[in-house]
Amino acid sequence: MTTTDRKPRVLSGIQPTSDSFHLGNYLGALRQWVALQDTADAFYCVVDLHAITVDHDPKVLHERSRVSAAQLLALGLDPERCTLFVQSQVPEHPMLGWILGCETGFGEASRMTQFKDKSSKQERTTVGLFTYPVLQAADILLYQTDQVPVGEDQRQHLELSRDLAIRFNGTYGRTFTVPDPYIVKETATIKDLTDPAKKMSKTSSTPKGCLYLLDEPNQMRKKIKGAVTDSDAEVRFDPENKPGLSNLMNIYTALGNTTFEKLEAEYAGRGYGDFKGDLAEVVADSIGPIATRTKEFLADKAELDRILERGAEKARIVASRTLAKAYKKVGFFAPAAL
RNA sequence: AGGGGUGUGGCGCAAUUGGCAGCGCAGCGGCCUCCAAAGCCGAAGGUUGCAGGUUCGAUUCCUGUCACCCCUGCCA
C-alpha cells in the first residue's frame, strides 16, 4: 500500500470570501501552491462551506467561488498536475465533519482562538463558525494528507486535525494519516500598504492598503505609489525603522529578479518616488496578466465548471474511500445508492 | 425561561409634540511632498435590524419577529 517513493500528499484550501485574492495571498501561499504541484500530490480546494460560517449572499458566494477557481487556474494551477475542486462538490467533507465533531471535546473546540476572534467581530455567531476547525480537520483527513502548508494563524487548527486523527486512529484503528505542517520557506509576510504593522488583508481599513490580483494595472500602480514610507529618503532594507519601505522591498524581491543589496545599490542617492515608480511597473507587469487570464477562464463558464467537476470527481475517488473506512469504523451503514 | 435595555452611513453617536434623517471619525478625490505621512481644500456615502399596523405623514406611536447586552430564575 505504502510506496516509499511516492510524492507526499498535500492539501490546502482557500475561502472564496472576496471578489479577488490579494498580493499577500499570492506571495504568502498561492505561489507556493503552484510550486508544490511538481513536488507533491497536491489537492487544492475552494472552501465555500467555510465561507458561510459568517453572513453571506448566495449569489455572491457562488460567483466568488467561480472567480476564485478561475484565479487559481490563472496563476498557474494546472488541473493535470494537481487536483483542484470546490468543497461543496465533494459531500464527503461535511459527512466526515459530523463524525469528527462527535470526537471533538467542547472545551477543546472552545479553545480555538480564531473562533474567539471572529465571533467577537460578528453580530451573531453561529454553531457553524464554532465547528469550523472540525470541518477543516475533515478537509485534511479525508485525503490522507501528509503535509499541510500553514501560516501561523492556522497552526492551532492543524494541531486539532492531528489530535483528532491520532484519537480516532487510537479508538477505532488506523484510519487517517496524521498530517504534518509544511513549513513554507521563510517568505516575508506582505504587510498592509498603508499600515505595515498589519498583515495585508481584505479587511484592511482602507482599500488602498490591499493590492488585489484583479485590480486594474493603474489601480495597482496607484496603490504602490501611495504606500506609506517614512520621512527618510534612503532605500535600505530595515524592517525595524523602515517597515513601510521594507515591505515594498519584500514585494520587489519576491516579484522581480533582484535582492535587497541590488536594490539598495540601484537606488542609492535616489528618492522613494523613483523606487516606487519602478516597483509599480514590476507589480503591474507580473500580476497584471493574472487578471487577463482569469477573465479568459471566466469567459467560458461551461468549460470552467467542467474543469471543476473533473477536479471534484478526482477528489471524491480519494475522499469517498476514506469516508467509507470511517463510516465502517464508527458503525454506520454505507450511503445508499441513488 | 421572566423582566429591562439597545438596534440609524464602515465605526461612534444625534434628530424637540409624529413633520425634508444630521454630526464626528474613518474612507474617497485634489493640493502639498522625491514618494508617503502631517496639514489644507473638496465631493460622496442611508430601505433608520426585519415584517406588519395607526396616520395626510413614522427614526419617533402600536403589534409581532430577529440579534446583542444587563438583571433575575432554572439547571448543576
Side-chain angles (χ1 to χ4, degrees):
Chain A
M1 197 72 194
T2 330
T3 325
T4 43
D5 61 345
R6 83 182 166 95
K7 292 178 185 174
R9 171 78 49 81
V10 161
L11 177 132
S12 197
I14 190 162
Q15 280 202 42
T17 45
S18 66
D19 295 322
S20 169
F21 297 134
H22 57 72
L23 190 62
N25 296 138
Y26 181 60
L27 295 179
L30 300 179
R31 219 167 51 154
Q32 202 59 224
W33 286 19
V34 176
L36 280 168
Q37 290 182 113
D38 297 318
T39 57
D41 179 13
F43 281 65
Y44 298 126
C45 182
V46 175
V47 289
D48 53 348
L49 263 50
H50 291 282
I52 68 165
T53 52
V54 294
D55 285 336
H56 81 288
D57 179 296
K59 278 188 138 59
V60 172
L61 174 64
H62 193 78
E63 190 53 28
R64 281 179 172 174
S65 293
R66 201 182 259 128
V67 174
S68 296
Q71 279 178 92
L72 294 174
L73 293 166
L75 59 81
L77 293 194
D78 175 1
E80 300 301 317
R81 292 187 292 149
C82 70
T83 302
L84 172 65
F85 63 100
V86 177
Q87 189 185 25
S88 58
Q89 285 201 296
V90 182
E92 284 78 6
H93 288 244
M95 294 167 85
L96 181 61
W98 174 257
I99 293 176
L100 294 177
C102 297
E103 298 294 326
T104 308
F106 189 83
E108 185 173 36
S110 306
R111 267 175 250 126
M112 297 295 131
T113 58
Q114 197 180 78
F115 171 75
K116 293 178 194 168
D117 270 10
K118 282 195 180 180
S119 61
S120 68
K121 287 170 190 154
Q122 283 287 117
E123 190 187 50
R124 65 188 211 109
T125 303
T126 66
V127 174
L129 183 63
F130 185 69
T131 58
Y132 177 118
V134 176
L135 180 59
Q136 193 176 334
D139 298 338
I140 294 166
L141 302 186
L142 219 31
Y143 298 96
Q144 306 294 346
T145 305
D146 297 301
Q147 297 177 334
V148 182
V150 280
E152 196 45 46
D153 56 328
Q154 290 298 320
R155 272 207 63 93
Q156 195 183 26
H157 289 175
L158 179 62
E159 207 45 50
L160 177 68
S161 301
R162 289 173 52 85
D163 289 346
L164 289 174
I166 292 166
R167 186 177 312 159
F168 193 100
N169 287 346
T171 307
Y172 301 100
R174 174 132 177 46
T175 310
F176 302 118
T177 300
V178 179
D180 287 316
Y182 175 79
I183 308 302
V184 180
K185 175 175 52 105
E186 202 58 51
T187 49
T189 54
I190 303 304
K191 301 298 200 302
D192 188 297
L193 296 175
T194 62
D195 181 1
K198 293 188 303 195
K199 193 167 81 163
M200 182 178 283
S201 151
K202 62 179 181 289
T203 53
S204 171
S205 59
T206 160
K208 286 190 294 197
C210 183
L211 198 148
Y212 292 97
L213 301 186
L214 299 187
D215 278 341
E216 293 297 324
N218 277 335
Q219 188 67 32
M220 295 183 187
R221 292 188 181 95
K222 200 164 181 179
K223 284 181 180 178
I224 292 292
K225 288 180 182 170
V228 293
T229 57
D230 49 67
S231 306
D232 204 5
E234 184 191 6
V235 175
R236 174 167 52 84
F237 186 73
D238 182 353
E240 280 290 308
N241 302 303
K242 300 159 94 65
L245 179 73
S246 298
N247 184 41
L248 294 178
M249 291 178 77
N250 272 327
I251 294 170
Y252 209 139
T253 56
L255 291 176
N257 191 18
T258 186
T259 62
F260 297 141
E261 292 72 26
K262 281 189 203 166
L263 289 174
E264 286 169 1
E266 188 174 349
Y267 292 96
R270 300 163 67 190
Y272 293 163
D274 281 358
F275 171 81
K276 282 178 166 179
D278 291 346
L279 173 58
E281 293 314 312
V282 169
V283 170
D285 287 350
S286 52
I287 302 299
I290 295 176
T292 308
R293 284 198 295 274
T294 301
K295 286 194 192 95
E296 288 166 14
F297 280 109
L298 289 171
D300 189 350
K301 286 189 180 169
E303 173 58 17
L304 177 59
D305 288 355
R306 265 196 296 280
I307 291 171
L308 293 176
E309 202 165 317
R310 277 198 295 272
E313 284 165 4
K314 277 169 70 181
R316 289 194 75 182
I317 291 172
V318 180
S320 62
R321 189 179 306 151
T322 303
L323 184 75
K325 265 200 234 178
Y327 258 45
K328 198 171 174 186
K329 293 270 169 74
V330 301
F332 284 173
F333 288 70
L338 284 177

